[in-house]
Amino acid sequence: MKNAGNLINDAKAQWNRVKTEIEKLNVQLSLGSSEAKETFEREWKKFSGFLDEQSQHLRRHSHWVSKLLEELKQRTVELKTLLKQATPENEHEFTNRREDLLRTMYELEFIIDQLYPALGDEEKHTISTFRIKMEVYRTRFIITSLHELASLDAQVSQLTYKADELLTWLEHDSDSVKEKIQRFSKGIGTSFDHMKQAFGELFK
């Protein structure tokens, strides 16, 4: 799966290639080529199909990324809340806490696995450093008893710090990924309408 930037770059490259072909056809039309109209109509059909497909793909991708980012945010907040809770008073409370923490971390792992391929290099770095701290904490936590929980204070502190970094990114920088896809999808649709109208005039 490609990240948002690659998807947009691929769409732009295809868009520019087809635009070049259509511009050549426009020259042929002005020179009175008898085959130009037929060729243009064939190319225009391919171009229209490409634009429709890209628009739908970008909208789906934007919705999918937005949903995963929101889930990542919710689970990260949940993890922070669990990490900040007071030390359990007995084994029963500790068992319940362990189950809640492990479930939340496994859910975060799944979300990150799904989201990771759609991210750019800088975004992958942010999410990877969080994931590493989470894995270190989880590995230690699984083998730690209730009476040894204090030995994990350093890991809890590091994981909480990375969770805050991730939430800061989710609050600010991740919006640009969604907005970039939405702006491009809207822009390519507008360009399509303008080109359709312009070329339609040629055959009146």
Side-chain angles (χ1 to χ4, degrees), residues 15-188:
W15 162 268
N16 288 330
R17 280 196 297 273
V18 180
K19 271 200 337 186
T20 300
E21 290 303 314
I22 289 175
E23 284 164 5
K24 288 178 185 176
L25 287 170
N26 193 21
V27 171
Q28 288 180 316
L29 282 169
S30 66
L31 295 175
S33 170
S34 61
E35 297 178 2
K37 182 174 180 178
E38 182 182 331
T39 306
F40 168 75
E41 287 174 344
R42 184 178 64 247
E43 290 302 316
W44 182 253
K45 186 176 181 181
K46 288 195 292 186
F47 183 51
S48 297
F50 157 72
L51 283 176
D52 289 342
E53 181 183 327
Q54 288 301 314
S55 264
Q56 290 173 16
H57 181 64
L58 287 167
R59 280 195 295 271
R60 284 195 304 270
H61 187 79
S62 177
H63 175 73
W64 174 78
V65 169
S66 296
K67 188 173 184 296
L68 284 175
L69 289 170
E70 186 56 37
E71 289 179 2
L72 179 62
K73 179 181 176 181
Q74 290 174 3
R75 294 297 180 277
T76 303
V77 169
E78 184 180 331
L79 177 63
K80 273 191 65 181
T81 301
L82 288 167
L83 291 172
K84 288 181 177 180
Q85 288 180 351
T87 303
E89 295 182 358
N90 55 56
E91 288 294 336
H92 177 69
E93 286 184 12
F94 179 56
T95 298
N96 289 337
R97 176 81 56 81
R98 187 193 300 273
E99 289 175 359
D100 290 342
L101 269 166
L102 290 176
R103 185 194 72 250
T104 301
M105 286 187 280
Y106 288 132
E107 287 172 351
L108 278 164
E109 285 282 357
F110 177 77
I111 293 166
I112 290 169
D113 280 342
Q114 296 296 306
L115 184 60
Y116 197 80
L119 301 176
D121 290 341
E122 187 174 339
E123 298 151 350
K124 285 179 178 178
H125 176 73
T126 299
I127 212 168
S128 291
T129 55
F130 167 72
R131 185 180 204 169
I132 289 167
K133 294 299 181 186
M134 186 169 64
E135 289 176 352
V136 169
Y137 172 74
R138 185 179 62 222
T139 302
R140 290 281 311 278
F141 179 66
I142 287 172
I143 60 173
T144 301
S145 68
L146 170 60
H147 304 295
E148 299 170 323
L149 274 181
S151 68
L152 298 180
D153 286 350
Q155 282 76 31
V156 169
S157 178
Q158 292 169 11
L159 178 54
T160 302
Y161 178 78
K162 288 300 177 184
D164 284 333
E165 276 190 352
L166 183 63
L167 289 170
T168 298
W169 171 72
L170 288 168
E171 283 293 331
H172 304 290
D173 299 338
S174 68
D175 287 340
S176 67
V177 174
K178 294 180 280 186
E179 288 169 8
K180 191 174 182 182
I181 295 172
Q182 289 163 358
R183 278 197 309 272
F184 179 73
S185 183
K186 184 177 179 181
I188 203 170

